[in-house]
C-alpha cells in the first residue's frame, strides 16, 4: 500500500444496489476503526473495470481484495484489529 492510498476502498458502479448496501455496511465498520472508506467507480477506470467489473462491489483493504458482493464484516473487523 502506498502512503496516499486509502486503507479501505469500495469498488462500485452507479445503479448497483449491492454496492449501496456494501457502502452502508463498510461505512459503519470503518467508523468503528476510525477510518473513512473511499468509493471508486470501476467504470471510470478501464483497468479496474476489466479486473473487477463483473464482481462489484469489491472491498479493498490496503490495496488488496478483501471481499466482493458483500462485506465480510467479521473478517474485516479481525483484519483491521490485526493490522491497525
Amino acid at each position: 500500500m502506498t502512503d496516499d492510498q486509502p486503507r479501505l476502498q469500495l469498488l462500485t458502479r452507479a445503479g448497483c444496489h449491492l454496492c449501496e448496501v456494501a457502502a452502508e455496511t463498510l461505512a459503519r465498520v470503518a467508523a468503528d476503526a476510525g477510518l473513512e472508506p473511499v468509493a471508486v467507480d470501476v467504470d471510470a477506470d478501464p483497468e479496474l473495470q476489466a479486473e473487477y467489473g463483473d464482481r462489484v462491489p469489491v472491498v479493498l483493504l490496503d490495496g488488496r481484495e478483501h471481499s466482493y458482493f458483500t462485506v465480510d464484516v467479521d473478517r474485516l473487523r479481525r483484519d483491521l484489529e490485526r493490522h491497525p
Side-chain angles (χ1 to χ4, degrees):
M1 179 178 99
T2 62
D3 289 339
D4 60 341
Q5 182 181 42
R7 284 234 41 214
L8 284 172
Q9 293 176 295
L10 180 65
L11 305 182
T12 185
R13 70 167 29 107
C16 169
H17 173 70
L18 287 177
C19 298
E20 294 171 11
V21 172
E24 292 170 6
T25 304
L26 188 60
R28 284 193 308 272
V29 173
D32 291 344
L35 299 171
E36 187 171 333
V38 174
V40 178
D41 183 350
V42 295
D43 295 326
D45 182 323
E47 288 182 28
L48 289 177
Q49 185 179 36
E51 186 168 350
Y52 299 106
D54 61 342
R55 293 184 286 143
V56 293
V58 177
V59 175
L60 300 180
L61 174 60
D62 296 330
R64 294 183 179 190
E65 185 174 327
H66 191 271
S67 57
Y68 62 96
F69 294 142
T70 62
V71 179
D72 187 337
V73 173
D74 293 335
R75 181 173 163 236
L76 182 57
R77 283 191 171 128
R78 273 193 317 267
D79 290 346
L80 288 170
E81 288 174 7
R82 269 188 246 168
H83 305 283

